Amino acid sequence: MNSFVSNAFKKLISSKEYSLWTKVLNLRKRINTPLALSFGSLGWKNGTEWLIENYVPCRSVGFIFGDSQDLKSFLVAQWAFNLATGKPFGDLQVNQGPVVIVCAEGSNSFPKRIKAIEDKHCINVEDKIVTVNRPIAMLIQREVEMLHNLLHELKSTLGESPKLLVIDTFSQCSAGIDENNAGDIAKYINTCKEISEQHNITVLNIHHKNKEGKYRGSTALYGNVDFIIETKREKRNSSDTEEKISTKLSLTKSKDSSTDVSHMLDFSEKSLGIEDNFGNTLTTLVLDEVTSVQKTAKNSNNYAKDFIVSFLKDSDKEYVEQSDLNDAFKSKMPKLNISTIKKNISFSCRELINEGKILEQKSGRNKAYTLATCDLPE
């Protein structure tokens, strides 16, 4: 079978489809054009290939945006480590390969972040993470040519092509363009797409939010990229009441997959074992836990109803206030934030009322509940 058909596709293609592929190959030989062509539905079985499962596709262009304290750069350092070593990101698989980071806002902190992650996992990334220690002006031809040359050199030197190129940040590498001009944004993204296509690499831009909590710039940014990821800092307490350093990761746009994916990321401060020139211990943040928000919410909704019935049965109060149920449920599910707790309890109470298992008593905005019968199962 012709090399035009990938090895993965060979396993799926039927004899009828093979004859069509043969016809297409003959057509391509006769049609003299540099343009990439497809015919009909051929190739429909080729699914999405993930760089980071459910979040970042291979050979694509996207953005991750958040406020300055939303831990975007710490997350990207973790992803770089996962890709370089092949270690899963929580319960999500990764497509192992080298990573290039354009540290346009200063590279001094990045090696420290990688070192702390290496120490936590006792794995060294060796030469699989490469940093460019200055901005790359993505709309200046000679700058882009240098980036192309670097990617070619890395493929030759490392023996494999880098899988991910991170632009940290978009604003630093888009000097001279108007973020609110659709034409300027389209030129920038087209440059990213050319890099992606020529080097089979994913280009991930780090960007900031505006005052309204949305990404800065023209709507052309949202319309022209393959995926957009958002980070949002959240306050959460652990079971010992110590405040966690947490951010919520959400996929908000994806051309080829569902956006119903979100994870809570918990970080902690780690000492680097070195001091600054004034004798102060240097620290950085390291990812401790990755929790699927959908999975947690679904499990807690199923668990909340049983919890409410059990709690009301064991209570010595005739009616238990909803705020008490919230507090008690929080102690059982410390990984959930208080907003999710309140929604779970409120939803579950309504279901139990509709099922005739509990009764509600209202006093203004306050709600309290009691068992509707003493014949509930043990």
Side-chain angles (χ1 to χ4, degrees), residues 22 32 58 66 109 140 159 166 190 192 219 236 238 240 268 375:
T22 304
N32 184 21
C58 292
S109 297
I140 296 178
V166 178
N190 284 338
C192 292
T219 55
R236 304 207 303 147
S238 61
D240 57 4
S268 64
D375 294 328

Side-chain angles (χ1 to χ4, degrees), residues 135-270:
I136 299 290
M138 296 290 282
L139 293 187
I140 296 178
Q141 185 176 356
R142 66 177 181 275
E143 294 272 293
V144 177
E145 287 177 356
M146 283 194 294
L147 188 54
H148 279 296
N149 291 336
L150 171 63
L151 294 173
H152 283 303
E153 288 292 327
L154 288 174
K155 179 181 180 180
S156 175
T157 303
L158 299 176
E160 58 181 324
S161 297
K163 293 286 184 69
L164 176 66
L165 170 66
V166 178
I167 307 296
D168 186 8
T169 60
F170 163 74
S171 61
Q172 290 291 325
C173 292
S174 61
I177 77 168
D178 180 358
E179 289 185 0
N180 296 306
N181 184 290
D184 284 356
I185 291 294
K187 289 178 183 177
Y188 180 95
I189 294 173
N190 284 338
T191 299
C192 292
K193 288 184 176 181
E194 289 173 4
I195 293 170
S196 174
E197 291 169 2
Q198 287 190 33
H199 301 278
N200 291 320
I201 194 172
T202 292
V203 182
L204 175 62
N205 293 270
I206 300 180
H207 195 24
H208 296 295
K209 290 181 180 178
N210 58 23
K211 293 180 180 179
E212 288 73 41
K214 304 296 183 182
Y215 61 85
R216 291 200 326 239
S218 166
T219 55
L221 187 154
Y222 186 93
N224 290 341
V225 297
D226 300 309
F227 66 94
I228 292 180
I229 299 166
E230 179 182 2
T231 55
K232 184 177 181 182
R233 186 74 176 267
E234 293 201 4
K235 289 186 177 181
R236 304 207 303 147
N237 292 330
S238 61
S239 56
D240 57 4
T241 72
E242 179 184 354
E243 184 175 320
K244 291 185 176 183
I245 303 169
S246 304
T247 195
K248 185 178 181 181
L249 178 68
S250 302
L251 183 65
T252 59
K253 177 190 175 176
S254 180
K255 282 188 175 180
D256 298 315
S257 65
S258 169
T259 57
D260 186 25
V261 55
S262 183
H263 285 75
M264 187 63 66
L265 312 180
D266 293 330
F267 293 79
S268 64
E269 192 173 18
K270 301 294 184 185

